[in-house]
Amino acid sequence: MHWLHILAAALPFILGTRAHSTPVGVQPDLAIKYTPKGDTWTCLDGSATIPWKAVNDDYCDCKDGSDEPGTSACPNSIFYCSNVGHLGSVIPSSRVNDGLCEKECCDGSDEAPGVCPNVCESIGAEYRRIRDAERKLRKTGSKIRSSYIAYAKKEKTNLEAVIAASAQEIAMREKDVAHLQEIADRAESVSASALERKKNSPLYNSLITHSKALASLKREHDAAHERTKALEEILSSLREGYNPNYQDMAVLEAVRGWEHFAGIKPDGEETEGEEETQEDAEEELEEGMWSKERLESNELDNLLKTDHVGLLLAHDEFAEGGASNILFDVTSYLPDALLPTFTSLTATLVDTLSTLGLAHAPAASSGSSAAREAAKEAEHSLSLAREEKRSAEQEHAELFDVEGFGAEGEWKKLQGLCLDRVQGDYTYEVCLFDEARQKPNRGGSTFSLGKWVGWNDAPGVEVGSPEYYSKQRYEGGAKCWNGPNRSLQLLLTCGLENAITSVIELEKCEYQLEGTTPALCLPLGEAGKVKDEL
Amino acid sequence: MRLILSCSGALALTLLLPSTLALKTGDWKTCSQSGFCRRGRALSARAQAASSWTSPYSVDERSIELASDQAGLTAAVTSSLYPAIKFGLEVRVHEDGVVRVRMDEVDGLRKRYDEAASWALIAEPKISKDIQWTVGKKDVRAVYGPKKDIEVVVSFAPLRVVMLRGGKEQVVLNGQGLLHMEHFRTKHEASPAEEGDEAQTVVQVNPAAYFEGETEDAFWDESFGSWTDSKPKGPESLSVDITFPNHGHAYGIPQHATSLDLPTTTGDSPFFSDPYRLYNADVFEYLASSSMSLYGSIPLMHAHSADSTVAVFNAVGSETWIDLSHPTAKSTQTHWISESGILDIFILPGPTPDAIFAQYARLTGTPALPAHWSLGHHQCRWNYVSSDDVRTVQKRFDEDDIPVDVFWLDIEYADEHKYFMWDEKTFPDPIEMTNDVEALGRKMVVIVDPHLKRADNYPVYKSASELGVLVKPKSGEGEYEGWCWTGSSSWIDFFNPASWQWWINKFSTKAIAGEWTWTQSTDSIYIWNDMNEPSVFNGPEITMPKDNVHHGGWEHRDLHNINGMLLPNITAQGLVARSEIPKRPFVLTRSFYAGSQRFGAMWTGDNLGTWEHMAVGAPMVLANGIAGMSFAGSDVGGFFGNPERDMLVRWYQIGAFQPFFRAHAHIDTKRREPYLLEEPYKSIVRDILRLRYAMLPIWYTAFREASVTGIPVLRPHYVVFPRDEAGFSIDDQWFIGGSGLLVKPVTTKDATEASIYLAEDQVYYDYFTHHAHRGAAAGKHVTVSAQLHEIPLLVRGGSIVSTRERHRRSSTLMKHDPFTLRVALSKKSEARGELYLDDGETFAYQTGQIVWREFVAEQPKNTKGLRISSRDLAHAKPGEAVDGVALTSVSPSNPFAKSIESVRVEKIVVLGVSSKPKSVKTEGGAELQFTYTAGVPASGNKEGTASVLVIKDPGVAISKDWAIVLTA
């Protein structure tokens, strides 16, 4: 016989002897509502009044299902199991009397008597064991977390010192700059026209043309290089990510062609062929010719940054035997107060002499150029100091940003920390608050899986809550073959180490990593609160 | 599609790639690209153009020989084109009146393939014992049938075979004179002299040219794309016209993405320009309306008119093209062009759709009774990526209390796609994973395809290679090597009997000495056979070269359409063999042929997530059903693409009303499991799934009936109302078995209401609102509300449907749940319904361990009351209860019946009683509690909400006899 028949038959007897006993499956806080009025009872939603004996008779009478807390008769009712020896729990009616012993109901009350043993003692013990272990973990973890917070505080002090120091330096540099600029301005007003004349030198013009040609060539070279790299990335990405379901043999041919071209074996290992290709490519260089590596080093950039005007003047000095013109150098010896008078005087003098063809004013002479250089250097130092201050200020501001390193700065310590995990043919690396990458273990290109964009943005998640910090998002990684840009979610829980524990690609090119970090080990008090809420 | 690829730094590169979301039509042949189809159509064109046209084929009357039992005759046939070539004709009449016509070349240079029927037929058909042939001067004929109204006539010159009923022509073979069996010939090597001398060629007279044409079009080799078919046997095609002079509608010949009532391909302004093609093919992103071939082929065609249904089953295994036209609205002409094989046509006399189903079932078998759980909700995706992923998916379903029975694993579970071999990195614990799923009463289905990776470390390939059971290349030596998921692959040749036991053993969960077996599996893992057309990525038309060689030396061209059926056949045997107490197998196949219904389920392949594909899935599933394959469905959500929320909801609605109900998605799509949906969509989908589960008794009962009678589970209008012209082209609404449920799923965006056609003067009740709609004898459309959460679903007056309305996580957990009976009274205040139950899993039902009930509601004589009763159909009709075994008796206390004797009816809902009853009692028992809501009665013509009587807990058992009496 079906146990519910037994139940239904037994109920009047139970109710008869103890008129106010609570029906099976009622949650404790609702127990008071399960009191008959005479022989009747009204559904909790008031939709109907039914005989008291129709409560738990395995037939659904109330729209809200409230008449069947102890059976599966109503689709929308909730069954409460008291689980004496452990914690009480609720399950939906769909799990009542379905032949399975629900782990939520360790007392076995969800099934017919005799179907499920009461395992609350062992379940309760296991629960407490796990809870204690978790508390211990949390306790130890929270100590590490405190050290992170302390680190952030120290960082704060450090940054404040940096800001103060750089403020002072800025003030000093500003003065220097003003002074040196004035000198340079004065010097240049004398020498500008002379420089124009020198610039007509065919040698100088040819140099400029060469330099421009070289710059243009480099630009084209860089562009071509970027295009090649982009194409190689497309082809590598095609090779690694092409979807055989498109059943397109043209794609397969393209992949094979690329493998041959790039000297990659189909199984991903590079062949010896590639080395041969490289050897073949290495021809003897003519003397003085630049090698490929040298061309791509920043030596070329430095060459292009050459100060041609300075060079022009240096050349003059070289050609004139290196003697300096006393007339222009005398400024160095003059006291500041006399300078304006002197410069206007010499300007007049030099102009006159020039007109007469007796003296050549060295346009942007070494004097004015050196002054300008000094001014520029001072300006540079100033901007460095300003930048130092700005970045320190920004860091300072971000240190306790709830949407960044947390209200206590507990994540600051982990900035830039790279965690990795080998999974299958790849190593997955996440540099926290920076970028995530996928590196093939057997050679091939590394793909970006996205840059840090923020914490858990799921609807309903409160900014700054533990749940908020349990997920880091990295987006905008390398594009997938016929798919989206790669992205990654890092799901974090409290743990003693900063580590990645699992990697899974739930959807194509969307990676879900699990990991642990002490930064999420809230002190026990808070953790307890969180637990109680759950 | 635009693919944007951004590189490091400022450089962004935009590429334009060719569109990938579209069919590459050029990958598959049109008729004009297929030599023999071209020849067939040219023949038809010459016949059309000729002022007079006579078939060159005739029977040599002196050669007629009647078999000793008289039911069969043989005769010699000659063609005036090639008088020296001999053909043999054989005509047999089966016990049930089916006429089988066979013709083959006799003593030819080579042998035509003649084994197609042996794969399709369930057994050698029984020959009639009471046929008397009368041999006349012009023909030989026989009259037979219970009413002696069927006549079959074989005319001599020209050869024609006609079936008549009541003197009216039903089916005519070679009535248009297009019969042509290209005989085997030797390749004519053109000499240089001939080649260079045009005058000489002109002088030569080709007496066959009027019929065959002047040129040898693609006789000896043929190219398509970069592939060349070497055609070592030369031309051997077969053309035959089949006319239905008195039938204006044709159905069947699945699988095509088109309407059930087949549109024309020839004649005046044909709907399709190409003939229907039967050539099993993995058509990537197939069109939602096309006569192109798809994954499976069943060469069965129904021809239908208001007073007659007939059918032809053309047992051919080679590529076949079928032209169809309606010379008048009341007639149908078809032209079947096959590449090779003998002529072997079965003419099914009908005269009703139900009779056709019985006749076809006797030939090829009925759909196997599926395991009960396999009618539940299947959740699939390419791919659940790890055993923990599977566990998480299960957990998420349960957290949201969404019912599901089966989790599926696509190809990524297998290490390098070596089927059976778990990828240990992601599925380290397959048995534990399956046990975790099984713990909730659920199953797993895992994919196993017929292509084997050619790798020495793959024991399945290695043993197949050693056993020599792989398909051979055209040389006939070695192993054919092609490209598929596994990279370089070879294909198992299941035509080789040596492969059968070997493959069956693969599924053993226990070790077998000297053999690799799947010990890393359990009895709860079932199988999905995909890519069995076969799909070959680098082959012509994405399949195998036609000149590949199978067991017995047959070319792949001869048996291509049959090939796909063999894998699920042997796989199903493997699943039965692996358990000590055998369990019913479940095998899903993509490719199929006539007879596939005996081995498992099919689905409509890789559909697209579009409204058009959702809509065309319905007639495709209906067409499969009438061709025997009832256990069919389309991927819910569409395989390709990311469906909008409303489309996904509608797709669950239509899926819940198809026999095979699986949600599936491509690897490039976003996950879309129901628990991921936001509200209100999640709750709507949960309600749809719960409705499907509530209705599992209806589905299971319908499957029992299909498994015995062959009548499909989904019944289109012409099947239920064969005389109602207005319903002959309806394929967007259908009945579920004999339950009386009529559904019209919504397949358009933003619909808010639907129009349902009612074919009879009967009351139909809205399943949900109980609104009484009135049909009319002349047919009538009624409008029902169809907001996104609403499914247009009616219950035909006169039906009693049984449901189980308790919510459970899986169907297995419903075994002891009580039933609700819905009594939908007819205009005459009557109703009946059936319920079939068994253990749902083993073959114990074949020994009579069943419960088969009939519920009847009727007015006791001279009263206005109502009596609702339950009687034991299994006891009354034991011989009709179970397919394949003639039970002589079924005990009401058989072990299964006893196991559910406490399962009760918890509620009876009666729609349409005319007034509140004075009392409701069990017969000879107590008064029952009931509630009555006044409303429209079943009788009369009032529209509006029907009266609803709800009897609470009548205290009767589902498996017992009882009666409940309502006193008016």
Side-chain angles (χ1 to χ4, degrees), chain B residues 92-104:
Chain B
R92 291 184 208 166
V93 182
H94 298 172
E95 254 182 9
D96 60 358
V98 169
V99 175
R100 182 177 187 178
V101 182
R102 279 162 61 100
M103 192 173 104
D104 194 2

Side-chain angles (χ1 to χ4, degrees), chain A residues 5 57-59 61 72 75 94-96 98 102 245-247 249 479 482 504 506-508 510, chain B residues 1 4 282 284 382 385 398 401 485 537-538 666 668 670-671 806-809 904 906 952:
Chain A
H5 282 259
D57 68 347
D58 205 19
Y59 183 89
D61 295 288
S72 59
S94 62
R95 294 175 197 194
V96 177
D98 63 354
E102 305 304 325
N245 192 40
Y246 289 94
Q247 302 171 2
M249 294 309 285
K479 177 106 173 93
N482 208 31
I504 192 166
L506 288 175
E507 280 165 30
K508 209 165 162 211
E510 294 186 14
Chain B
M1 196 175 70
I4 298 169
D282 178 3
F284 177 67
W382 179 21
V385 297
D398 289 342
D401 219 12
W485 298 127
F537 293 167
N538 61 339
H666 188 271
D668 286 346
K670 300 292 288 176
R671 290 208 176 196
R806 306 244 163 149
H807 298 165
R808 297 296 183 198
R809 284 165 289 177
R904 65 203 169 94
E906 67 172 327
K952 172 176 173 174

Side-chain angles (χ1 to χ4, degrees), chain B residues 636-641 643 648 652 664-665 669-674 676:
Chain B
V636 167
F639 180 57
F640 295 109
L648 191 56
Y652 272 99
H664 185 33
T669 62
K670 300 292 288 176
R671 290 208 176 196
R672 49 166 116 121
E673 287 69 20
L676 292 170

Side-chain angles (χ1 to χ4, degrees), chain B residues 165-177:
Chain B
R165 191 187 314 112
K168 216 169 172 183
E169 287 186 331
Q170 304 290 309
V171 183
V172 183
L173 302 192
N174 201 29
Q176 314 299 319

Side-chain angles (χ1 to χ4, degrees), chain B residues 828-830 857-868 914-915 917-919 923 964-968:
Chain B
K828 292 180 181 167
S829 289
E830 296 168 340
E858 62 205 340
Q859 285 191 321
K861 270 177 196 161
N862 308 321
T863 73
K864 285 198 159 181
L866 194 70
R867 182 176 184 271
I868 305 166
S914 45
S915 61
K918 285 201 188 93
S919 77
E923 209 165 60
I964 288 165
V965 179
L966 280 63
T967 312

Side-chain angles (χ1 to χ4, degrees), chain B residues 281-292:
Chain B
D282 178 3
V283 179
F284 177 67
E285 294 182 339
Y286 62 80
L287 301 172
S289 173
S290 170
S291 58
M292 282 175 75

